Amino acid sequence: MPEISAPPEPSTALAPEPSGPPDDENSGGSTEVFDVRKFGAIGDGVTDDTNAFKMAWDTACQVNSSSTIYVPNGFSFMIQSTIFTGPCQGGLVFQIDGTLMPPDGPEEWPKNNSKRQWLVFYRVNQMSLQGGGAIDGRGQKWWDLPCKPHKGINATTLPGPCDSPVAIRFFMSSNLTVQGLKVKDSPQFHFRFDGCQNVHVESLHITAPALSPNTDGIHIANTNGVQIYNSVISNGDDCVSIGSGCYDVDIRNLTCGPGHGISIGSLGNHNSKACVHNVTVRDSVIKVSDNGVRIKTWQGGSGAVSDVRRLCVGHTL
């Protein structure tokens, strides 16, 4: 499991007042909206906007009622590896209508920052990550590392540092919605949910090149109550990978491929015990894929996979 450092302390700097709503339709004043530009974010794709986003998060998180962090259209915000820490006082919407991006490759990644994760949401409840914007993982320079499959001399894999960041990770969080976003080219997994409950994914569009290594679309582990609906995942690896400790997973109307299909596993690594229960895949298409829906296990492991149903799923090579 990727490491997670200690959560940062909330910012004590004076925060600006909430801006007006993202559109002309107000919800009767019950939701406060915090535009990241009001906290100093520039959005030119070059300037480090990390502190502005952290201040916006800390401010919105302390609001007793519902609040919205607003990332406006027409701007590209570069953010360093960051942990957004809860729990927050009320429900929170992270509205992304612009573009978020990390530093461009391992050489630009600060040496003191974890190279295993980019944006982490830790111990949050009742949060929606949504919008019509984009998350650009800028993965190409990570995929070109000599340690990656077939990137060494004569198409070999070479030893050396190989940590690559998961783009978006939710850790020990609950009642989550991810909706409407376009996410592309993560250095490693695009989304990862660890130790989460009640996750709803809707109308997500994930893309990465067919030969991009280890770029699973959505990975879940020790997570239950998962709904993945009406989404398109076109990447070079598993569209959805379901790890140990997951149950009550419903995948519906998913277009998947090219890649490796939908996988339960790998399970039982290092002779461990692994269990997965109640997984349904329905009304979905898996195309240009090595597999359809599969179970992957390690020799020497133990446990069980039970109540797996595949309903009206098409698979084309």
Side-chain angles (χ1 to χ4, degrees):
M1 179 181 293
E3 65 187 38
I4 183 164
S5 56
E9 292 296 322
S11 172
T12 57
L14 182 63
E17 292 299 316
S19 68
D23 51 47
D24 292 332
E25 303 226 357
N26 204 328
S27 57
S30 61
T31 299
E32 295 188 85
V33 180
F34 299 91
D35 186 329
V36 295
R37 293 172 300 174
K38 301 294 185 181
F39 294 81
I42 303 300
D44 60 4
V46 178
T47 304
D48 184 354
D49 288 321
T50 307
N51 286 337
F53 273 73
K54 290 170 69 174
M55 187 182 295
W57 174 272
D58 290 342
T59 304
C61 196
Q62 294 167 17
V63 173
N64 288 324
S65 59
S66 297
S67 59
T68 296
I69 297 172
Y70 178 50
V71 181
N73 183 30
F75 297 87
S76 295
F77 300 92
M78 195 277 286
I79 309 174
Q80 305 284 357
S81 177
T82 301
I83 302 173
F84 297 104
T85 304
C88 296
Q89 297 298 316
L92 193 149
V93 173
F94 207 126
Q95 179 76 25
I96 301 174
D97 290 333
T99 299
L100 302 185
M101 60 180 62
D104 190 13
E107 295 300 320
E108 300 297 323
W109 206 266
K111 296 188 183 301
N112 293 332
N113 288 355
S114 171
K115 289 185 176 180
R116 295 186 179 183
Q117 57 198 23
W118 175 34
L119 301 181
V120 179
F121 297 93
Y122 176 57
R123 292 189 180 275
V124 298
N125 181 39
Q126 295 286 356
M127 176 186 162
S128 179
L129 182 68
Q130 65 182 45
I135 297 173
D136 183 354
R138 305 172 90 174
Q140 186 64 56
K141 292 180 180 178
W142 298 91
W143 306 332
D144 288 340
L145 289 172
C147 61
K148 299 293 183 176
H150 312 300
K151 290 297 183 180
I153 299 173
N154 297 323
T156 59
T157 299
L158 300 180
C162 212
D163 286 347
S164 300
V166 173
I168 308 292
R169 184 184 182 204
F170 288 91
F171 184 49
M172 297 180 66
S173 298
S174 57
N175 302 310
L176 307 170
T177 298
V178 179
Q179 183 170 359
L181 295 167
K182 295 179 176 62
V183 186
K184 69 173 186 175
D185 296 348
S186 176
Q188 205 200 42
F189 298 168
H190 288 76
F191 283 87
R192 177 165 185 151
F193 296 88
D194 289 298
C196 295
Q197 294 180 316
N198 300 329
V199 176
H200 181 79
V201 175
E202 177 83 32
S203 302
L204 201 61
H205 195 114
I206 297 174
T207 57
L211 297 180
S212 57
N214 207 26
T215 53
D216 292 15
I218 300 171
H219 177 78
I220 61 175
N222 297 305
T223 293
N224 64 82
V226 179
Q227 299 172 330
I228 301 173
Y229 293 165
N230 307 316
S231 295
V232 176
I233 302 177
S234 175
N235 59 340
D237 214 294
D238 295 330
C239 293
V240 179
S241 53
I242 302 168
S244 180
C246 293
Y247 59 92
D248 297 343
V249 179
D250 188 29
I251 300 170
R252 184 181 304 176
N253 194 25
L254 175 69
T255 300
C256 168
H260 297 170
I262 298 172
S263 297
I264 298 174
S266 298
L267 304 176
N269 195 15
H270 303 301
N271 299 320
S272 61
K273 183 176 181 179
C275 295
V276 173
H277 174 70
N278 192 21
V279 177
T280 301
V281 181
R282 69 183 78 190
D283 303 328
S284 297
V285 175
I286 301 173
K287 59 185 181 180
V288 196
S289 172
D290 296 343
N291 310 279
V293 181
R294 63 174 175 170
I295 300 172
K296 301 190 295 183
T297 61
W298 289 90
Q299 187 174 5
S302 62
V305 176
S306 59
D307 291 341
V308 177
R309 292 174 294 279
R310 189 186 71 171
L311 306 173
C312 298
V313 177
H315 175 216
T316 59
L317 297 176

